[in-house]
Amino acid sequence: MSMKLRRQSWKRMIRRAKRARSGGVIVVAVLLVFAAGIIIERNTMKVNYTELLSTIAEGESKGNYNAYFGHANNSSVVFTDMTVADVMQWQRDFVANGQPSNAVGKYQFMGTTLAGLVSEMGIDPQTKFDEALQDKLAVRLIERRGVRDYLRGAISREQFAHNLSMEWAALPRVVGGDPNASYYAGDGLNKSHISINAVLGAIDTLRDKPQV
């Protein structure tokens, strides 16, 4: 149900409840039931992130969990064997040595982004920065950029894709001037590596059932 239809449904239920004799009690009960329904919907909404994560990773790191800025094929620095705290220290040192970016991992987490996720999600800094954690962090970034709004119909597929391009520079901006370009085109560091059709196609699979 779209947000607009949900609001209309809510208003109709309130009007009906107000016409009842014990209106005050019924209105409260209706609102509680409706709110519970929204919570259940949010908790049970199934999302298949597999294809979208793969598409993002292809553009950012060629799918390498141990990639870092300028070294998509890295295998000498094994971030997946390091703790989150060690990775963040490595990022600080990397920039301190004059590098323009400290993006690391399959989804190229910037230092400030990684630190923010660790704080927001309550992740123990001694947790390994392994494949499972990197995927989990990337899903959180996708959620931040409005995946639930898209799935509820509150924003368009193209707007959601544009939101993602603000998180991952390797994705095309999709809307606005030069839709094939990175949102960060012109900064001397980033450019789009993924086509618009590939991004939109990956978004279309979010409702697919995961393959067993």
Side-chain angles (χ1 to χ4, degrees):
M1 180 185 293
S2 69
M3 293 299 292
K4 182 177 181 180
L5 290 175
R6 186 179 291 116
R7 286 194 294 268
Q8 291 174 346
S9 177
W10 192 331
K11 290 178 181 178
R12 283 197 299 271
M13 285 189 288
I14 292 175
R15 285 197 298 270
R16 290 170 185 167
K18 285 182 177 178
R19 289 197 292 267
R21 291 183 179 180
S22 53
V25 174
I26 294 177
V27 168
V28 172
V30 168
L31 292 177
L32 288 174
V33 170
F34 192 76
I38 294 174
I39 292 172
I40 291 171
E41 177 190 348
R42 286 176 178 169
N43 289 340
T44 59
M45 186 182 291
K46 302 298 182 182
V47 186
N48 182 357
Y49 291 103
T50 304
E51 186 63 28
L52 183 56
L53 287 174
S54 178
T55 300
I56 292 168
E58 177 60 29
E60 292 289 330
S61 68
K62 300 186 187 302
N64 182 7
Y65 285 99
N66 291 307
Y68 65 94
F69 176 73
H71 296 79
N73 297 317
N74 168 63
S75 60
S76 58
V77 182
V78 186
F79 294 107
T80 51
D81 282 344
M82 295 166 63
T83 66
V84 170
D86 287 339
V87 171
M88 291 193 294
Q89 184 59 56
W90 185 96
Q91 290 179 300
R92 289 189 289 270
D93 293 342
F94 193 63
V95 170
N97 288 331
Q99 297 297 325
S101 172
N102 58 14
V104 301
K106 185 174 182 178
Y107 307 99
Q108 292 293 275
F109 301 102
M110 299 291 291
T112 52
T113 301
L114 180 56
L117 287 168
V118 169
S119 175
E120 176 186 337
M121 299 172 70
I123 295 170
D124 184 342
Q126 296 308 309
T127 302
K128 271 197 173 184
F129 190 63
D130 59 16
E131 294 86 350
L133 180 60
Q134 290 188 41
D135 290 346
K136 181 178 178 180
L137 295 172
V139 166
R140 182 66 192 116
L141 291 179
I142 293 172
E143 290 175 342
R144 280 185 184 179
R145 293 297 177 176
V147 66
R148 302 287 173 171
D149 289 338
Y150 161 67
L151 292 172
R152 285 195 296 265
I155 62 175
S156 69
R157 180 179 62 161
E158 289 72 19
Q159 181 59 54
F160 177 48
H162 181 68
N163 293 353
L164 292 175
S165 77
M166 290 188 277
E167 190 67 55
W168 285 288
L171 302 182
R173 59 186 302 157
V174 179
V175 299
D178 197 358
N180 292 291
S182 167
Y183 182 82
Y184 298 97
D187 66 357
L189 297 176
N190 297 292
K191 62 181 180 179
S192 173
H193 296 289
I194 302 295
S195 71
I196 292 175
N197 285 340
V199 175
L200 296 181
I203 289 173
D204 286 341
T205 69
L206 288 168
R207 292 187 177 89
D208 290 351
K209 290 183 180 180
Q211 296 295 317
V212 178

